[in-house]
Amino acid sequence: MDLYSRKIIGWEVTDHMRTEGPLAALEMAILFRNPGSNLIHHSDRGSQYASNKYRDKLESIKAKSSMSRCGNPYDNACMESFFATLKKEWVYRHSFRTKEEATHKINWFISSFYNSVRRHSNNAYLSPDNFEYRYQVVEKSASYPKKILYEC
């Protein structure tokens, strides 16, 4: 999750708790965002995030690692909130016959609804995509009328 816009920028659906899942999500986020060396990567204290493979990947992009305090879910509240939203608004409302179907439908929820349509109070009630659009195009260019913010 990009904390600026609350956009989910890397994800992976797995049926296990090994490093490969979060590592694939991190690699997706890196490809999507191409972050600079000032990136702060925050996670909980799961063994996946403390693994050598995961830490090596963060080091390779010169990211600073930040981990929640032991037993304190509030340190990672934004992600906890996203997971609650994903479960309540999507997972609990659908039946999935296979892992592949669940993966496909969760990918759709994130990319085609959560990031593109779902409004967030943190973003002045714009979707993450529209909030980023406002920053990238509207606020950086005085030639665009401000009303575009709400027409996206």
Side-chain angles (χ1 to χ4, degrees):
M1 175 183 284
D2 183 318
L3 284 182
Y4 172 73
S5 65
R6 302 301 198 259
K7 183 172 186 166
I8 304 302
I9 56 173
W11 64 92
E12 179 75 8
V13 178
T14 65
D15 58 359
H16 57 76
M17 296 288 289
R18 296 186 301 270
T19 301
E20 293 82 10
L23 187 58
L26 175 62
E27 289 170 347
M28 179 183 188
I30 291 167
L31 283 172
F32 188 63
R33 285 291 206 234
N34 191 22
S37 60
N38 60 349
L39 172 72
I40 298 173
H41 176 276
H42 187 76
S43 69
D44 64 22
R45 291 186 170 271
S47 61
Q48 312 90 317
Y49 307 108
S51 73
N52 289 335
K53 271 185 175 178
Y54 201 87
R55 295 178 63 78
D56 288 348
K57 188 64 178 182
L58 288 175
E59 191 174 306
S60 76
I61 62 166
K62 297 181 176 34
K64 295 175 182 85
S65 181
S66 167
M67 288 188 161
S68 300
R69 291 170 288 174
C70 191
N72 194 339
Y74 301 108
D75 286 348
N76 209 17
C78 292
M79 281 309 301
E80 297 295 339
S81 177
F82 166 73
F83 287 129
T85 297
L86 173 65
K87 291 174 186 176
K88 287 186 268 185
E89 293 183 12
W90 194 248
V91 173
Y92 297 156
R93 295 180 180 200
H94 294 85
S95 296
F96 308 111
R97 287 172 271 173
T98 64
K99 179 184 169 193
E100 290 75 25
E101 181 184 1
T103 299
H104 178 74
K105 288 186 175 183
I106 290 170
N107 285 339
W108 180 89
F109 176 82
I110 294 170
S111 62
S112 298
F113 179 71
Y114 188 87
N115 286 340
S116 301
V117 177
R118 191 177 187 283
R119 298 172 184 207
H120 295 262
S121 59
N122 183 72
N123 295 349
Y125 294 96
L126 298 172
S127 71
D129 284 344
N130 288 342
F131 190 75
E132 287 185 359
Y133 175 81
R134 180 182 76 175
Y135 174 77
Q136 293 170 354
V137 176
V138 177
E139 289 184 5
K140 288 187 175 184
S141 173
S143 64
Y144 279 87
K146 292 293 181 186
K147 69 180 184 175
I148 288 178
L149 296 178
Y150 304 100
E151 294 176 350
C152 298

